[in-house]
Amino acid sequence: MRTTRQLSLGGVKIGGGAPVSIQSMTNTDTNDAEATLAQIRELAAAGCQIVRCAVPTIRTLDAFERICAESPLPVVADVHFDHRIAVGALERGAACVRVNPGNLRGEAEAREVARTAARLGKPVRVGVNGGSLNREIAARLGKTAQAMVESAEYYIRIFEEEGCRALKVSLKSSDLRITLEACRMFAARSDIPLHIGLTEAGPVSSGIVKSSVAIGTLLLDGIGETIRVSLTAPPVEEIYAAQRILEAVGLRQASPEIISCPTCGRTHGDMLSLVAQVEREVRRIQSSGKRIALRKIAVMGCEVNGPGEASDADVGIACSAHGGILFKHGEKVATLEKAELLSAMIRELEDATLR
Amino acid sequence: MRTTRQLSLGGVKIGGGAPVSIQSMTNTDTNDAEATLAQIRELAAAGCQIVRCAVPTIRTLDAFERICAESPLPVVADVHFDHRIAVGALERGAACVRVNPGNLRGEAEAREVARTAARLGKPVRVGVNGGSLNREIAARLGKTAQAMVESAEYYIRIFEEEGCRALKVSLKSSDLRITLEACRMFAARSDIPLHIGLTEAGPVSSGIVKSSVAIGTLLLDGIGETIRVSLTAPPVEEIYAAQRILEAVGLRQASPEIISCPTCGRTHGDMLSLVAQVEREVRRIQSSGKRIALRKIAVMGCEVNGPGEASDADVGIACSAHGGILFKHGEKVATLEKAELLSAMIRELEDATLR
């Protein structure tokens, strides 16, 4: 894990050893404060920690101000082209603004945003992507990772010269390898926290795969202080995907990890529905606000993959030809009828439940 | 990319610079040859290149022999515990057997499998996972990556001593970090191709994320010659997920990559359905056996993310407040009515279509 400076985004700590936080972005019309707030509440309930809203025009600031005042989450204003919107958003309640300085009118405008953020003690996300490189740097280096990093450093200098040091940086390309290279290069050269994710990740099925590869690879390298999974899907799907990525790399344990064998010709019983039922029970218990104090649970289709391969599960069930077994840490603790498997697992889940 | 020895698995080359191949496993009862063959044909149509079938008992070998004879794909026999099943499978048509030598009765039995494979000129997959470590090594090193690698090397020596050098190795733990560490350690020490994947990847939603992170991270490191995504789901889902992972890391281009912006408050038009329609058209054209000679196409929700951020797309459409534009390589080539956007994209797809 690299050492990063810490900033506070409306109370959510980013960098400096804070847990990796999860962001999303509303896709309602920001002018419709009611609809946007409803979506933010839904995102918060799903586990989102920071939310971003597009503020496309000065006129949108009225609704945006109300959203900031009533939002249960800190709100980041997403601003392009017009620095006056960024300044206005900061003055009217944004916890942070995201600008791509490369698409503001010029350097003077970027400096004005920086001075406003510094005066109000609010952080700024400096975004660099394929579409907003510094022009001179892009001309010299092309659309490369090096150009992205040098563009970011160029803009960081401007912000820091104006006294704005609470910065996070995003480096995003729709090319996964360039994104990875840019983030690694930047991480090796700077202590500024990185916001990671892929931009324009495409349809949800391939978007989840691309984001998992990109974000997962960086997190495993210790890079990334806050993440957003971009999906062309309802925003709450982004939160679920982000949580799964953090769980996959071992950075978060929202719920017991469920391991199950891929079904094969040895499988006894209807594994797919058994796994789905166990998953549903875990969610049911957790949605009542309880926590299940188990690290791993297993649902296995046969004795081959049962206690042996899932010996690191706290509790597991494995089907056999005529029934099944309950096992704990690799040891069989009970032989069961087929019809008892699910209820035995539910009993174990509830026994391990804490308020 | 590390240099690996090449083996031929029923005609599919693995290692030695061959493209990364995609595998799956049937989840029908192997005794039901008809159902298993139907599933293999479905897997082949989806792009699967190698299929594995569980052969749990000697009696299953009759059906297995018929499956091998009629399968459109090379068939790997998945055998546990009883080496006679592995020997029989090789003699009766398996293109390869997978054994975890650690769960065979003993070393003599592993040697018999090795001699049979060598005599028939067929490859063997040597599997090592949390459940089948060499006992002495596990006692010394625990359930660590080092123990997995040393177990693999111990068994490889046995197979090579019997003249069986056409080997691939899998090192799988349900712990993602241990899997990555073991594969990297093995890759640095051996020229034997690696079969990569996670075992017991769990429910489909989190399984895809975990597999994408694990397999994607290794492939980006140049590790992995053949892959299987294990999902508790219909096997063809494993093929789709595997293809998306190979596409994400740039190792395969099955179809034009569709990039689309995550929707936000600036989005004009119904992006989600537009992206889905474009995806459907791409599939429709390709399912007729044609290839679309485009690398990237874009569907963008507004002028901010349109031609600029998607300037590396060969063709794109971007919505605006009252209609939209068609762009190529970042340059606007036409202004369109809203209703014309999809048809303009379809025309571009068809213009780029080859038989």
Side-chain angles (χ1 to χ4, degrees), chain A residues 119-136:
Chain A
R119 173 168 55 82
L120 296 171
K122 291 179 174 177
V124 173
R125 168 174 158 201
V126 172
V128 172
N129 59 29
S132 63
L133 296 175
N134 173 280
R135 237 166 262 169
E136 178 274 322

Side-chain angles (χ1 to χ4, degrees), chain A residues 6-21:
Chain A
Q6 189 171 73
L7 55 96
S8 170
L9 197 161
V12 178
K13 300 270 186 286
I14 297 175
V20 175
S21 50

Side-chain angles (χ1 to χ4, degrees), chain A residues 26-28 78 129 143 177 200 202 210 212-213 217 228 232 249 257 260-266 304 309 311, chain B residues 26-28 78 129 143 177 200 202 210 212-213 217 228 232 249 257 260-266 309 311:
Chain A
T26 52
N27 65 1
T28 48
D78 194 72
N129 59 29
K143 271 197 172 188
R177 283 177 191 263
E200 307 132 19
K210 280 198 265 187
S212 299
V213 173
T217 298
R228 178 188 175 205
T232 308
V249 300
E257 182 181 10
S260 62
C261 60
T263 52
C264 74
R266 260 188 315 275
V304 171
E309 293 204 358
S311 67
Chain B
T26 52
N27 65 1
T28 49
D78 194 72
N129 58 29
K143 272 196 171 189
R177 284 177 190 262
E200 308 132 18
K210 279 197 266 188
S212 298
V213 172
T217 298
R228 177 188 177 206
T232 308
V249 301
E257 181 181 8
S260 63
C261 60
T263 52
C264 74
R266 262 189 313 276
E309 293 204 0
S311 66

Side-chain angles (χ1 to χ4, degrees), chain A residues 1 29 63 83 108 112 121 131 136 147 151 161 172 196-197 226 239 298 305-306 308:
Chain A
M1 201 72 154
D29 179 351
H83 73 288
E112 201 178 323
E136 178 274 322
S151 289
E161 281 172 6
K172 293 186 178 186
I196 62 175
T226 184
I239 304 306
N305 288 310

Side-chain angles (χ1 to χ4, degrees), chain B residues 297-308:
Chain B
I297 59 179
V299 181
M300 310 299 278
C302 74
E303 64 273 39
V304 171
N305 288 310

Side-chain angles (χ1 to χ4, degrees), chain A:
Chain A
M1 201 72 154
R2 71 185 179 116
T3 306
T4 50
R5 64 176 81 161
Q6 189 171 73
L7 55 96
S8 170
L9 197 161
V12 178
K13 300 270 186 286
I14 297 175
V20 175
S21 50
I22 295 177
Q23 311 205 5
S24 184
M25 188 166 180
T26 52
N27 65 1
T28 48
D29 179 351
T30 308
N31 290 299
D32 186 344
E34 213 47 72
T36 304
L37 281 163
Q39 198 173 64
I40 293 175
R41 285 184 207 108
E42 192 190 357
L43 285 166
C48 180
Q49 296 167 277
I50 296 166
V51 69
R52 184 156 47 109
C53 300
V55 188
T57 68
I58 289 276
R59 285 187 310 281
T60 311
L61 286 173
D62 290 339
F64 181 75
E65 183 168 17
R66 199 188 131 203
I67 291 164
C68 293
E70 298 183 26
S71 168
L73 299 176
V75 182
V76 180
D78 194 72
V79 177
H80 289 271
F81 309 133
D82 187 343
H83 73 288
R84 292 169 306 173
I85 306 174
V87 169
L90 286 166
E91 287 172 341
R92 295 175 71 173
C96 171
V97 289
R98 175 265 179 108
V99 290
N100 288 5
N103 75 24
L104 295 179
R105 237 180 53 198
E107 204 179 293
E109 285 75 9
R111 288 188 188 273
E112 201 178 323
V113 175
R115 277 195 301 272
T116 308
R119 173 168 55 82
L120 296 171
K122 291 179 174 177
V124 173
R125 168 174 158 201
V126 172
V128 172
N129 59 29
S132 63
L133 296 175
N134 173 280
R135 237 166 262 169
E136 178 274 322
I137 294 170
R140 181 159 49 82
L141 297 170
K143 271 197 172 188
T144 58
Q146 178 86 29
M148 290 171 72
V149 171
E150 289 198 17
S151 289
E153 290 173 337
Y154 177 87
Y155 296 123
I156 288 165
R157 199 159 47 239
I158 290 175
F159 276 78
E160 293 192 333
E161 281 172 6
E162 302 298 333
C164 178
R165 279 186 50 84
L167 297 171
K168 59 188 178 116
V169 163
S170 60
L171 300 155
K172 293 186 178 186
S173 157
S174 60
D175 182 312
L176 188 146
R177 283 177 191 263
I178 292 181
T179 298
L180 297 181
E181 191 188 346
C183 289
R184 285 176 170 142
M185 194 183 291
F186 183 83
R189 288 156 65 144
S190 173
D191 73 337
I192 295 180
L194 274 167
H195 166 118
I196 62 175
L198 286 187
T199 191
E200 307 132 19
V204 64
S205 50
S206 62
I208 284 181
V209 168
K210 280 198 265 187
S211 288
S212 299
V213 173
I215 297 174
T217 298
L218 288 171
L219 290 174
L220 286 166
D221 276 0
I223 295 171
E225 283 67 35
T226 184
I227 67 173
R228 178 188 175 205
V229 177
S230 294
L231 297 175
T232 308
V236 46
E237 293 296 327
E238 301 187 346
I239 304 306
Y240 299 143
Q243 289 168 336
R244 290 189 186 110
I245 293 171
L246 291 179
E247 287 171 27
V249 300
L251 284 175
R252 188 181 280 211
Q253 176 119 33
S255 57
E257 182 181 10
I258 303 176
I259 58 178
S260 62
C261 60
T263 52
C264 74
R266 260 188 315 275
T267 311
H268 298 291
D270 183 358
M271 274 292 292
L272 268 61
S273 93
L274 195 55
V275 172
Q277 284 172 299
V278 169
E279 218 184 352
R280 201 151 46 230
E281 288 299 324
V282 167
R283 275 208 224 93
R284 180 185 61 75
I285 294 171
Q286 291 185 317
S287 68
S288 68
K290 295 174 187 163
R291 199 173 76 77
I292 300 167
L294 295 171
R295 213 175 33 80
K296 261 188 201 179
I297 58 180
V299 180
M300 310 301 276
C302 75
E303 64 274 40
V304 171
N305 288 310
E309 293 204 358
S311 67
D312 53 349
D314 298 307
V315 181
I317 47 179
C319 305
S320 67
H322 304 294
I325 60 164
L326 178 73
F327 59 92
K328 297 186 179 185
H329 304 287
E331 300 294 329
K332 180 168 94 171
V333 294
T335 305
L336 300 166
E337 300 288 315
K338 194 153 277 182
E340 299 171 319
L341 283 170
L342 180 64
S343 55
M345 178 57 96
I346 294 174
R347 204 161 35 244
E348 291 299 325
L349 293 174
E350 288 182 338
D351 283 354
T353 294
L354 312 167
R355 271 228 172 261

Side-chain angles (χ1 to χ4, degrees), chain B residues 202-281:
Chain B
V204 64
S205 51
S206 62
I208 285 180
V209 167
K210 279 197 266 188
S211 288
S212 298
V213 172
I215 297 174
T217 298
L218 288 170
L219 291 174
L220 285 166
D221 275 0
I223 294 170
E225 284 65 37
T226 183
I227 67 174
R228 177 188 177 206
V229 177
S230 293
L231 297 176
T232 308
V236 24
E237 293 296 326
E238 300 188 345
I239 305 305
Y240 299 143
Q243 289 168 336
R244 290 189 186 111
I245 293 172
L246 291 179
E247 288 172 26
V249 301
L251 284 176
R252 186 181 281 209
Q253 176 117 37
S255 57
E257 181 181 8
I258 304 175
I259 57 178
S260 63
C261 60
T263 52
C264 74
R266 262 189 313 276
T267 312
H268 298 289
D270 184 358
M271 275 291 292
L272 269 60
S273 93
L274 195 56
V275 172
Q277 284 171 301
V278 169
E279 217 181 355
R280 200 150 48 228
E281 288 300 325

